[in-house]
């Protein structure tokens, strides 16, 4: 039996089965037990994902035991069936003969997919268990637990498929699920509006993503993933094509296992083509536009804070494990394409660094606990893109760091959102940090687990965020001081490095500002909570405790053992870069590697001091006298800085003025034109037979004399016509 194939099918199939079962039986049969199919299915899917990780690890060890080989990377491709095929189709811009257009339903197992599947299913399982207590009184209980596994199915398929068409299908599927879950309480106008806003803003990014796929097809003649070694320094115009020979070798023991620099089931026979210059940049920027929508990066970040109108478990699921991580995953998967365009990589880094700083500045003054965490998510996603933008042909450190931060962030961000949900549950739905405080004695478990999440987010050693965030800063710092780059590019990465350090300070400050306001000071309970404010039930606190342990240990374990980096570098998008890096380091000698390790520790020391300063400032302001905060607020407000941050830099108002209102005006004019012109023309055409009939109706009056006179007159007209001819 092919174990990997079975696992790849089971992981998404189990949540899909839970969705169908709950949708059919939930309302009338399962009712308050509707969580069982979801929890069991996601639990089994999580177990299968962990087994898949070990299977992939064994495959890597087997490949390494065979000794040095030109084959690079590990993957296994499983083709289930052909969805569509057009014989003779070809892309006009390639010199390859017609190969036909095929869409195969193909799944893949490689380290990148395995990591994503394990992370998605584990966090989703904890969120599902937490939801049992959080949603227990909701009238849409069964509906909620039919949406959750559908979301997990869509995300697991998104990271498992092996071509861009299916990637786009499930890219849209997670968007649909987010719309359903964000607007779950559709009776609430704010929730319904937030769901529509998320859906529409993502359509902008998805439109660019679709254009990128069209350009990919016309350029390469295939939409399967490809990962082929690129040549350094390849500058060219839009018409330049770089050719690289590649050998495709299948493992005799595991049919379908390809380890020769390809990303997926390839339709290219003996060579791979990567276009550089304008076409490469256009493809990458269009793909990045899609990533900006899904992962809430500037300028399409405005939907994510409003998504807090959905249930808190939905916020945890979207922010930690599913939708917003899709853009980071997609860019990582497409790194070979991005490496063909230095401009595209710089844009990725610039967008990530700017978004990280912008969101951190916005979070400083927010008073909604969930929105503070939402802007934190936007900022941390910016860190991930910043790391991806620091990738070079000789160093995959930025990509590994970005994915490592995605992995660690999933645990502590899920912990923080579920902790916020626990507070909200106890406070009668109130989430404004100005209306409650001093909850550490009332909610001790939530207090301590939330503290672990805050320490991880702030990047305090030995918590998870410390290890992954500092790896990103180190990768960007290496780019800033790299002699291989021109001075202008060096300045860009230097500015991004400074922005990353400033973001680290702001992150520590706003995180502990929220923590101190919630759990310290005088105990204040809003009237909505009544006399029922208490610690959350075990179904909510047990997932918090598990996530708190993960936030403490996963970063240190995987970094100190180098297990995450070694495993991920065997994924085809990173394997070629890692091989080139090893060759370059061997040629440079041990001194360079020691210098890089030393620089990493310096970055860690500097960022830790900066994070500690941010926590100290938050403690000084929010554990001391309130007058300090008031004086600082007045000082900042005098220059308009406080108003900018509190108003979220007025992006919503800007979009409303320059996008929403003009479109509403166009829609109103179109409506008016439709009603006054189009409708009247159509109605006039419909009335013409009636009016012609009304005009002819008097001729049929039933009088024989009239008919005889009409016949005589007709005869006279006919004779007159004949005589005059």
């Amino acid at each position: 039996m092919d174990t990997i194939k079975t696992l790849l099918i089971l992981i998404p199939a189990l949540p899909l089965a839970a969705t169908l079962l709950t949708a059919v039986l939930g309302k009338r049969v399962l009712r308050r037990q509707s969580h069982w199919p979801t929890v069991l299915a996601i639990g089994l899917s999580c177990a299968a994902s962990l087994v898949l990780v070990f299977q992939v690890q064994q495959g890597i060890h087997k490949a390494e035991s065979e000794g040095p080989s030109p084959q690079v990377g590990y993957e296994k491709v499983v083709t289930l069936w052909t969805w569509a095929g057009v014989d003779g189709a070809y892309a006009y811009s390639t010199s390859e003969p017609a190969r036909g257009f095929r869409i195969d339903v193909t799944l893949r197992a490689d380290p990148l997919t395995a990591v994503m599947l394990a992370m998605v299913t584990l966090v989703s399982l904890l969120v599902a268990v937490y939801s049992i207590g959080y949603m227990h009184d909701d009238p849409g209980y069964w509906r909620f637990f039919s949406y959750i596994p559908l979301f997990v199915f869509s995300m697991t398929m998104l990271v498992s498929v092996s071509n861009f068409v299916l990637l786009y299908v499930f890219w849209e599927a997670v968007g649909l699920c987010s719309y359903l879950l964000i607007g779950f309480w559709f009776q609430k106008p704010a929730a319904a509006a937030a769901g529509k806003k998320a859906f529409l803003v993502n359509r902008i990014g998805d439109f660019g993503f679709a254009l990128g796929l069209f350009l990919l097809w016309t350029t390469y003649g295939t939409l399967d993933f490809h990962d082929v070694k690129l040549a350094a320094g390849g500058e060219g115009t839009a018409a330049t094509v770089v050719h690289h020979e590649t050998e495709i070798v299948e493992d005799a023991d595991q049919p379908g296992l390809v380890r020769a620099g390809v990303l997926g089931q390839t339709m290219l026979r003996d060579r791979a083509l990567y276009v550089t210059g304008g076409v490469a940049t256009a493809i990458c920027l269009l793909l990045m536009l899609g990533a900006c929508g899904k992962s809430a990066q500037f300028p399409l970040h405005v939907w994510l804070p409003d998504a807090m109108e959905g249930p808190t478990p939905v916020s945890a699921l979207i922010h930690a494990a599913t939708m917003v991580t899709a853009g980071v995953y997609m860019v990582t998967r497409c790194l070979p394409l991005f490496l063909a365009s230095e401009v595209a990589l710089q844009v990725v880094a610039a967008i990530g660094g700017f978004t990280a700083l912008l969101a951190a500045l916005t979070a400083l003054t927010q008073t909604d606990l969930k929105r503070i965490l939402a802007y934190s998510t936007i900022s941390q996603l910016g860190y991930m893109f910043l790391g991806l933008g620091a990738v070079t042909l000789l160093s995959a450190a930025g990509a590994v760091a970005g994915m490592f931060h995605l992995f660690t962030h999933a645990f502590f961000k899920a912990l923080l959102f579920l902790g916020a949900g626990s507070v909200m549950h106890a406070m009668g739905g109130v989430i404004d940090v100005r209306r409650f405080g001093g909850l550490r004695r009332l909610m001790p478990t939530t207090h301590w687990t939330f503290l672990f999440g805050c320490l991880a987010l702030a990047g305090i050693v030995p918590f998870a965020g410390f290890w992954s965030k500092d790896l990103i800063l180190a990768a960007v710092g290496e780019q800033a001081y790299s002699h291989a780059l021109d001075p202008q590019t060096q300045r860009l990465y230097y500015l991004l490095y400074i922005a990353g350090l400033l973001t680290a300070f702001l992150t520590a400050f706003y995180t502990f500002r929220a923590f101190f306001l919630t759990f310290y000071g005088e105990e204040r309970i809003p009237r909505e909570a009544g006399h029922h404010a208490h610690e959350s039930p075990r179904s909510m606190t047990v997932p918090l405790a598990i996530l708190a342990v993960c936030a403490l240990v996963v970063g240190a374990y995987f970094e100190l053992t180098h297990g995450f980096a070694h495993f991920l570098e065997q994924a085809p998008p990173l394997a070629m870069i890692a091989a080139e890096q090893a060759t370059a380091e061997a040629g440079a000698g041990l001194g360079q590697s020691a210098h890089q390790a030393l620089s990493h520790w310096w970055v860690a020391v500097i960022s830790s001091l900066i994070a500690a300063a941010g926590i100290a400032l938050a403690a000084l302001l929010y554990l001391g006298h309130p007058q300090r905060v008031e004086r600082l607020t007045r000082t900042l407000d005098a220059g308009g800085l406080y108003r900018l941050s509190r108003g979220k830099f007025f992006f919503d108002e800007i979009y409303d003025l320059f996008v929403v209102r003009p479109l509403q005006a166009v829609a109103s004019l179109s409506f008016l034109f439709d009603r006054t012109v189009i409708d009247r023309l159509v109605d006039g055409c419909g009335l013409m037979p009636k009016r012609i009939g009304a005009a002819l109706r008097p001729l049929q009056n039933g009088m024989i004399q009239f008919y005889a006179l009409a016949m005589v007159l007709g005869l006279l007209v006919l004779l007159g016509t004949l005589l005059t001819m």
Side-chain angles (χ1 to χ4, degrees):
M1 184 178 67
D2 191 339
T3 304
I4 288 182
K5 179 179 180 180
T6 303
L7 293 172
L8 285 173
I9 295 173
L10 281 177
I11 291 169
L14 288 168
L16 179 61
T19 292
L20 298 176
L21 181 63
T22 308
V24 173
L25 302 179
K27 186 175 183 179
R28 299 184 181 276
V29 179
L30 295 174
R31 298 180 182 175
R32 292 298 166 186
Q33 305 301 315
S34 295
H35 57 272
W36 281 113
T38 295
V39 173
L40 290 175
I42 298 178
L44 292 173
S45 183
C46 178
S49 299
L50 296 176
V51 174
L52 180 65
V53 171
F54 288 111
Q55 289 287 324
V56 172
Q57 184 69 52
Q58 289 179 359
I60 293 172
H61 288 328
K62 180 181 177 182
E64 291 175 345
S65 66
E66 295 173 353
S69 171
Q71 304 165 3
V72 180
Y74 176 93
E75 68 176 356
K76 181 169 183 181
V77 176
V78 177
T79 301
L80 302 181
W81 70 84
T82 298
W83 181 15
V86 180
D87 295 333
Y90 66 95
Y92 292 98
S93 61
T94 66
S95 58
E96 298 289 326
R99 293 182 293 272
F101 177 74
R102 289 170 57 86
I103 305 174
D104 293 322
V105 178
T106 306
L107 305 179
R108 61 185 298 105
D110 67 6
L112 180 57
T113 295
V115 166
M116 291 295 297
L117 288 174
M119 182 270 292
V120 168
T121 53
L122 178 57
V123 175
S124 299
L125 174 62
L126 295 174
V127 170
V129 173
Y130 176 94
S131 301
I132 298 172
Y134 189 87
M135 301 293 294
H136 67 93
D137 289 329
D138 196 280
Y141 192 78
W142 69 272
R143 185 164 52 89
F144 181 84
F145 280 100
S146 63
Y147 290 165
I148 290 293
L150 181 62
F151 209 164
V152 177
F153 161 73
S154 301
M155 189 64 192
T156 53
M157 283 298 294
L158 186 149
V159 300
S160 299
V161 297
S162 194
N163 65 65
F164 280 105
V165 175
L166 291 180
L167 176 67
Y168 185 78
V169 169
F170 292 102
W171 187 270
E172 294 299 318
V174 295
L176 171 63
C177 293
S178 69
Y179 167 75
L180 294 174
L181 286 168
I182 293 170
F184 179 78
W185 290 320
F186 55 85
Q187 304 92 338
K188 183 180 174 184
K196 289 187 287 186
K197 184 176 182 179
F199 191 81
L200 292 174
V201 172
N202 272 276
R203 296 290 69 72
I204 300 172
D206 295 350
F207 179 71
F209 189 52
L211 292 179
L213 299 193
F214 294 149
L215 189 55
L216 270 170
W217 161 250
T218 59
T219 303
Y220 296 109
T222 177
L223 287 173
D224 287 321
F225 295 151
H226 298 285
D227 177 26
V228 181
K229 180 179 175 182
L230 299 177
E235 295 184 1
T237 64
T240 303
V241 179
V242 183
H243 296 256
H244 300 284
E245 300 294 331
T246 182
E247 181 184 6
I248 299 176
V249 181
E250 291 195 359
D251 192 306
D253 297 330
Q254 299 185 55
L257 172 61
V258 182
R259 294 183 288 108
V262 292
L263 242 160
Q265 184 186 26
T266 179
M267 297 175 68
L268 301 178
R269 293 182 298 279
D270 60 350
R271 65 178 53 192
L273 310 176
Y274 274 95
V275 173
T276 62
V279 170
T281 301
I283 290 173
C284 294
L285 293 183
L286 288 170
L287 294 179
M288 184 59 190
L289 181 59
C292 286
K294 276 291 179 288
S295 295
Q297 295 296 283
F298 174 84
L300 301 180
H301 65 286
V302 292
W303 67 270
L304 194 56
D306 289 357
M308 299 304 96
E309 296 294 340
T312 299
V314 172
S315 303
L317 196 61
I318 291 176
H319 286 245
T322 54
M323 183 171 173
V324 298
T325 63
V328 180
Y329 164 79
M330 185 270 291
V331 173
T332 306
R333 180 64 76 190
C334 298
L335 273 179
L337 292 173
F338 281 83
L339 284 169
S341 172
E342 291 183 1
V343 174
L345 281 173
Q346 292 169 16
V347 170
V348 171
I351 289 176
F354 179 76
T355 305
L357 182 58
L358 177 72
L361 289 169
T362 307
L364 292 175
T365 57
Q366 303 305 306
T367 56
D368 184 305
L369 182 57
K370 288 173 63 177
R371 288 181 185 269
I372 294 172
L373 298 177
Y375 280 106
S376 169
T377 298
I378 297 172
S379 182
Q380 297 306 303
L381 289 166
Y383 263 126
M384 298 172 203
F385 282 106
L386 179 59
L388 294 177
V391 173
T392 68
L393 287 164
L394 297 179
S395 175
V400 173
M403 286 301 301
F404 191 32
H405 197 51
L406 182 151
F407 180 74
T408 60
H409 176 264
F411 296 104
F412 62 76
K413 186 49 62 71
L415 170 60
L416 288 171
F417 266 109
L418 296 185
S422 180
V423 171
M424 190 175 181
H425 183 266
M427 297 296 104
V430 175
I431 199 63
D432 191 332
V433 294
R434 296 170 298 183
R435 298 189 57 195
F436 50 74
L439 303 181
R440 67 185 185 280
R441 295 185 183 88
L442 184 67
M443 308 179 69
T445 303
T446 302
H447 164 254
W448 285 108
T449 54
F450 200 89
L451 175 60
F452 274 41
C454 290
L455 291 170
L457 177 57
I460 301 300
V461 65
F463 291 87
F466 165 79
W467 307 96
S468 54
K469 178 200 68 179
D470 288 349
L471 286 176
I472 293 174
L473 292 174
V476 177
E478 287 180 8
Q479 289 290 83
Y481 293 100
S482 173
H483 297 296
L485 300 178
D486 61 87
Q488 185 176 358
T489 305
Q490 280 185 304
R491 284 194 295 271
L492 170 65
Y493 283 102
Y494 181 76
L495 290 174
L496 293 175
Y497 176 68
I498 298 300
L501 291 176
L502 179 57
T503 302
F505 171 79
L506 297 175
T507 300
F509 176 79
Y510 69 67
T511 301
F512 276 86
R513 167 182 174 266
F515 176 73
F516 292 142
L517 287 174
T518 302
F519 294 102
Y520 285 82
E522 181 185 354
E523 184 175 294
R524 290 175 289 121
I525 308 297
R527 64 176 182 277
E528 288 85 349
H531 301 287
H532 305 290
H534 54 75
E535 183 60 274
S536 299
R538 288 180 60 84
S539 63
M540 296 171 65
T541 57
V542 169
L544 289 177
I546 295 173
L547 288 169
V549 173
C550 291
L552 175 62
V553 302
V554 293
Y557 174 78
F558 285 112
E559 176 57 22
L560 295 178
T561 62
H562 301 291
F564 187 90
H566 288 166
F567 184 67
L568 193 65
E569 284 176 352
Q570 295 302 315
L574 306 177
M576 278 291 182
I577 305 173
E580 293 289 346
Q581 182 183 13
T583 303
E585 288 180 353
L590 296 177
Q592 182 179 358
S593 298
H595 169 73
Q596 290 178 353
L598 184 63
S599 67
H600 287 190
W601 280 109
W602 272 112
V603 169
V605 170
I606 293 171
S607 66
S608 295
L609 292 175
I610 289 174
I615 296 174
L617 180 60
L620 178 65
L621 292 175
Y622 294 98
L623 293 182
H625 299 288
Q627 293 81 2
R628 295 173 182 170
V629 179
E630 294 174 2
R631 285 197 299 268
L632 180 61
T633 300
R634 285 196 298 269
T635 302
L636 293 175
D637 199 32
L641 298 178
Y642 181 85
R643 192 178 299 109
L644 271 176
S645 175
R646 187 75 178 87
K648 299 170 287 187
F649 288 87
F650 303 104
F651 277 102
D652 285 323
E653 289 77 7
I654 291 171
Y655 279 123
D656 182 69
L657 181 62
F658 292 103
V659 178
V660 176
R661 292 188 182 182
L663 289 177
Q664 285 179 337
V666 171
S668 298
L669 290 174
S670 300
F671 176 79
L672 184 63
F673 181 78
D674 179 66
R675 282 299 182 92
T676 57
V677 179
I678 303 297
D679 278 2
R680 290 186 180 182
L681 286 174
V682 172
D683 292 344
C685 292
L687 290 173
M688 282 183 64
K690 180 179 179 181
R691 291 174 179 173
I692 294 173
L696 295 177
R697 191 177 300 116
L699 299 178
Q700 299 293 329
N701 54 19
M703 297 178 64
I704 296 177
Q705 300 91 328
F706 178 80
Y707 295 155
L709 177 61
M711 293 173 62
V712 171
L713 291 176
L715 180 60
L716 292 175
V717 171
L718 178 61
L719 291 175
T721 302
L722 292 175
L723 292 175
T724 56
M725 290 181 61

